[in-house]
Amino acid sequence: MNNSPGLYFHIGKKARDLLYKDYGQQPSFHFSYQWIDWNLDLSCQTESVVPGLHTALRFVVPDSGKVELRFLHDYVGITAGSGLKMTSHNHVGLDPAVHFSGVIGTDFVSLGTDIAFDMSTSTFNKFNAGLSFNCPYLVASLTLNDKLDTIKASYYQPLNPLTRSAVAAELKHSFFIDRTTTLTVGGQHALFPSTLIKARMDSNGKVGALVQQGFWQKFFLAISGEFDFKDNDRRRPKIGLSAALAP
């Protein structure tokens, strides 16, 4: 029996993937022309160097990159690493922040934390904590983010594994910075084995949908759109295009 709790980013991942993945969210660098946004995000992971130990690399071209060590074993999951970033003179330098996350528990329930320490200022620029509950019928999580300013509760429920039908919801509340509460709900369904459709809406008036098409069981292309009913200045949808290559 596998008792591994996974890694910290697995906490709430199924709900996040349904509600946000492939919808065209951009990192700090992206190209924008009118209503089209794009970026290039590459990641890879090596096989186990020793049992349970992996090396992961991620590059957001041409803005930044990150190298990370991941250790996954029974009852514990640990990640540690540092980053690369592009300086103002187009030179790559070491990011002064180091990252660490750890999770303890089982595949049923787990508890973890995620921190980042800025060595140049000797301060913590990230401190998160999370709790996850997993069973075949639902996945629920509770996390504290933004240095414990934001609380998120997420819920994911599979409906039909054959058609990948599922629903998810996320409730987010900020205590101090903007003191807002946002509810996001969404669902997904596979029309065909290689064609997945998703839709979501939130309490701020944003509605989004996407169609993802798989090719050759390895390559996936998704077209997404989002419309903000409360944005009086830009009454037009945002269109996004994303591609992924499965290992």
Side-chain angles (χ1 to χ4, degrees):
M1 180 178 178
N2 181 17
N3 291 311
S4 173
L7 302 174
Y8 186 84
F9 71 84
H10 291 140
I11 295 178
K13 184 177 184 299
K14 288 189 175 181
R16 288 197 311 271
D17 285 353
L18 193 155
L19 295 173
Y20 303 109
K21 187 178 180 181
D22 299 319
Y23 274 94
Q25 278 72 28
Q26 307 300 336
S28 56
F29 176 87
H30 67 277
F31 173 80
S32 177
Y33 176 72
Q34 293 183 355
W35 41 267
I36 298 176
D37 294 315
W38 71 271
N39 66 276
L40 183 59
D41 191 338
L42 304 173
S43 61
C44 65
Q45 179 174 303
T46 65
E47 295 295 330
S48 296
V49 181
V50 297
L53 183 64
H54 301 262
T55 301
L57 302 172
R58 183 186 179 191
F59 300 94
V60 179
V61 179
D63 183 63
S64 62
K66 183 171 70 173
V67 60
E68 191 175 70
L69 291 177
R70 300 173 177 175
F71 179 74
L72 191 61
H73 208 265
D74 288 350
Y75 311 114
V76 65
I78 298 173
T79 63
S82 184
L84 299 171
K85 65 179 180 180
M86 189 70 70
T87 67
S88 58
H89 300 290
N90 292 328
H91 293 126
V92 175
L94 285 175
D95 191 333
V98 293
H99 311 274
F100 172 85
S101 67
V103 178
I104 59 173
T106 67
D107 59 341
F108 179 70
V109 62
S110 59
L111 177 68
T113 186
D114 180 32
I115 62 176
F117 183 75
D118 191 330
M119 294 183 293
S120 64
T121 60
S122 298
T123 58
F124 289 94
N125 53 25
K126 181 171 67 172
F127 185 87
N128 303 327
L131 173 68
S132 180
F133 171 79
N134 305 274
C135 74
Y137 308 104
L138 65 91
V139 179
S141 68
L142 183 68
T143 59
L144 286 169
N145 305 306
D146 305 322
K147 298 181 182 179
L148 308 183
D149 173 70
T150 304
I151 185 170
K152 290 183 181 180
S154 69
Y155 168 83
Y156 171 90
Q157 182 176 7
L159 301 179
N160 188 340
L162 296 178
T163 59
R164 291 186 285 171
S165 300
V167 294
E170 179 189 82
L171 182 65
K172 180 174 69 173
H173 176 74
S174 175
F175 294 105
F176 306 110
I177 297 178
D178 52 16
R179 298 183 181 181
T180 59
T181 302
T182 303
L183 174 65
T184 305
V185 296
Q188 70 176 33
H189 177 75
L191 293 176
F192 306 102
S194 59
T195 305
L196 180 70
I197 60 172
K198 298 199 297 183
R200 71 175 187 199
M201 65 181 299
D202 64 29
S203 56
N204 292 323
K206 294 181 180 179
V207 177
L210 73 80
V211 178
Q212 182 190 72
Q213 180 64 47
F215 302 92
W216 310 294
Q217 297 181 342
K218 293 290 184 178
F219 182 73
F220 299 90
L221 185 67
I223 300 176
S224 63
E226 183 180 85
F227 188 83
D228 188 348
F229 286 96
K230 293 185 178 181
D231 190 349
N232 296 322
D233 297 327
R234 296 184 61 185
R235 285 290 185 177
R236 56 188 177 188
K238 291 181 61 177
I239 306 299
L241 178 65
S242 63
L245 184 64

